Amino acid sequence: MSSHSKHILTIRLSAMGDVAIAVPVICTLLKTHSNLKVTVLTKPQFKVLFDFLPQVHVVCAEVKTKHKGLGGLYQLSRELKTLNLTEVADLHNVIRSKVLKFFLRLQGIKVKTINKGRTEKKALTRTNRKVFKPLKPTINRYADVFRNIGIALDMNQPECLPKQELKSSIKSDLEFDPSKTYLGIAPFAAHDGKVYPADLMQEVIKKLSQNKSLNIYLFGGGKLEMSRLHNWEKPYKNVYCIAGRYDFKTELCLISNLDAMLSMDSGNGHLAAMFAVKVFTIWGQTHPHAGFAPLGQTKDQQFLPDRSIFPLLPTSIYGNKEVEGYQNVMRTIDPNDVADKISKQLFPKNH
């Protein structure tokens, strides 16, 4: 007889940031309820996010191969049946998860699903009759799913992943020095509507790099981003391009050792937040009111476009929609303000 009172399948297939948001929820869940067993269903590339939680079992959804289509999802449900699940917490609520849940219900498994707040998000981003108000944070929407299963969960004091040990060779390679402060910068995002203009980001890096007590690590992926970041690091001795240098798990270990991360409204901010790293974000077509601000972030760590000039913001939840004339909203965010605010929080004695 298992000592676990419940075995919960937690579904979040993608995207990276959304999967990362689930990590502190599961950390808090397991700390609060040590007798729970948790299995996570996600895509293979995100399995590494749960490598730091050895008590969590991960099942990879191979949605492009053996778990593709209706037949593939049925096969996945048969594989999951062998795990003796008692409940399903669907944190995704998309067609794939709905089909899978149908099969799992036939096995007698209880299912609860996230309320994404689609209607209120539409009201927040529409151009006519916009309702501009803060919506429930995504992390609380995730927690609500577990509460609806009947599990008490207090996210006012969330549990995060601990700092990870870095190999001595990597510390040497990146000139880690206990006397220095470490800042990560992730200047890219999936959609252009969330990316701070390159010339302005270079100004931020230039100003921050003048502080020789600060090491700056640039994160990105793909050939174009890597090429750009390598060019950005060249003028400075304390700026390092991380893109393409290490595997993903090593990058995560590095992120866990940062004092802060500057990111767009993108997955990198949530990767840092799952290690309780301070996160600064620059916003464009999206807005923190939609509920995607990183865990623990305060308003003074957010850089927002001027809504007196661009009152229709936010125009999108994901940054994939732009309104005519709104292409340059992020140019209302002064790079000097970004650098100064980060410096004041990282080096308060200097200000």
Side-chain angles (χ1 to χ4, degrees):
M1 185 77 173
S2 173
S3 61
H4 298 291
S5 61
K6 293 178 184 289
H7 184 181
I8 302 172
L9 176 70
T10 302
I11 303 174
R12 185 70 219 197
L13 302 179
S14 62
M16 182 176 72
D18 299 291
V19 178
I21 293 172
V23 173
V25 179
I26 294 173
C27 287
T28 307
L29 185 72
L30 291 171
K31 183 180 182 183
T32 309
H33 305 279
S34 58
N35 61 334
L36 288 180
K37 186 175 182 180
V38 175
T39 292
V40 171
L41 178 67
T42 192
K43 289 185 177 179
Q45 61 266 40
F46 305 127
K47 181 181 183 296
V48 66
L49 300 186
F50 300 94
D51 283 357
F52 308 101
L53 284 170
Q55 67 271 51
V56 172
H57 176 56
V58 179
V59 174
C60 294
E62 307 279 358
V63 298
K64 292 185 178 180
T65 53
K66 67 176 181 176
H67 299 142
K68 183 178 181 180
L70 190 63
L73 291 172
Y74 177 72
Q75 171 62 31
L76 178 57
S77 75
R78 299 294 295 175
E79 294 170 17
L80 292 170
K81 185 178 182 180
T82 65
L83 301 179
N84 297 316
L85 303 167
T86 58
E87 278 91 7
V88 174
D90 180 8
L91 309 185
H92 206 163
N93 195 13
V94 291
I95 292 175
R96 278 197 184 100
S97 66
K98 289 176 181 178
V99 172
L100 181 62
K101 285 184 298 182
F102 171 77
F103 292 133
L104 294 174
R105 280 194 183 100
L106 293 179
Q107 298 174 16
I109 301 171
K110 299 175 184 177
V111 172
K112 294 297 179 181
T113 302
I114 187 173
N115 176 0
K116 288 186 170 181
R118 289 187 173 101
T119 300
E120 54 202 275
K121 287 177 181 176
K122 185 175 180 180
L124 176 66
T125 57
R126 66 194 178 200
T127 55
N128 297 317
R129 296 179 291 110
K130 181 184 289 290
V131 181
F132 185 72
K133 66 176 184 179
L135 306 183
K136 178 179 288 189
T138 298
I139 198 164
N140 288 343
R141 294 185 186 276
Y142 285 4
D144 282 346
V145 182
F146 294 101
R147 294 182 187 120
N148 290 337
I149 288 174
I151 301 171
L153 191 58
D154 183 4
M155 292 307 297
N156 290 319
Q157 293 182 312
E159 186 76 8
C160 293
L161 294 174
K163 182 185 293 187
Q164 303 297 310
E165 184 61 38
L166 276 175
K167 294 179 181 178
S168 57
S169 59
I170 295 172
K171 290 182 178 180
S172 175
D173 187 31
L174 299 177
E175 299 185 47
F176 258 56
D177 180 336
S179 67
K180 289 196 172 186
T181 298
Y182 311 126
L183 172 68
I185 297 181
F188 305 111
H191 301 289
D192 289 344
K194 298 197 293 186
V195 179
Y196 197 46
D199 59 312
L200 300 185
M201 182 55 77
Q202 286 176 277
E203 288 297 315
V204 172
I205 294 170
K206 181 180 180 180
K207 185 160 187 176
L208 287 171
S209 68
Q210 292 172 6
N211 185 338
K212 301 311 175 186
S213 295
L214 182 67
N215 276 4
I216 299 171
Y217 302 105
L218 307 178
F219 292 85
K223 291 183 178 179
L224 184 61
E225 292 183 8
M226 286 171 57
S227 175
R228 182 174 292 180
L229 295 180
H230 279 301
N231 287 332
W232 289 3
E233 78 169 338
K234 286 179 181 177
Y236 315 107
K237 290 185 177 180
N238 57 338
V239 177
Y240 305 82
C241 173
I242 302 302
R245 202 163 178 167
Y246 308 110
D247 61 35
F248 187 27
K249 188 169 184 178
T250 301
E251 284 195 9
L252 290 173
C253 291
L254 172 57
I255 288 172
S256 79
N257 282 267
L258 298 175
D259 293 288
M261 169 72 84
L262 170 63
S263 76
M264 306 301 100
D265 172 22
S266 67
N268 290 281
H270 299 297
L271 294 178
M274 72 183 195
F275 291 104
V277 171
K278 185 194 302 283
V279 181
F280 299 90
T281 44
I282 303 178
W283 301 77
Q285 302 291 335
T286 60
H287 195 281
H289 276 11
F292 290 100
L295 176 65
Q297 187 179 69
T298 56
K299 288 184 178 180
D300 63 352
Q301 293 160 356
Q302 299 168 348
F303 303 100
L304 303 169
D306 190 340
R307 287 192 75 249
S308 69
I309 301 174
F310 298 104
L312 299 183
L313 291 173
T315 62
S316 170
I317 295 298
Y318 304 109
N320 56 340
K321 298 177 183 177
E322 287 186 357
V323 173
E324 183 62 34
Y326 275 55
Q327 288 75 15
N328 293 315
V329 298
M330 297 180 92
R331 289 196 173 276
T332 62
I333 302 172
D334 188 334
N336 290 309
D337 289 343
V338 175
D340 288 344
K341 188 173 285 189
I342 292 173
S343 293
K344 286 177 182 177
Q345 291 200 36
L346 293 183
F347 301 97
K349 293 180 180 179
N350 296 349
H351 296 273

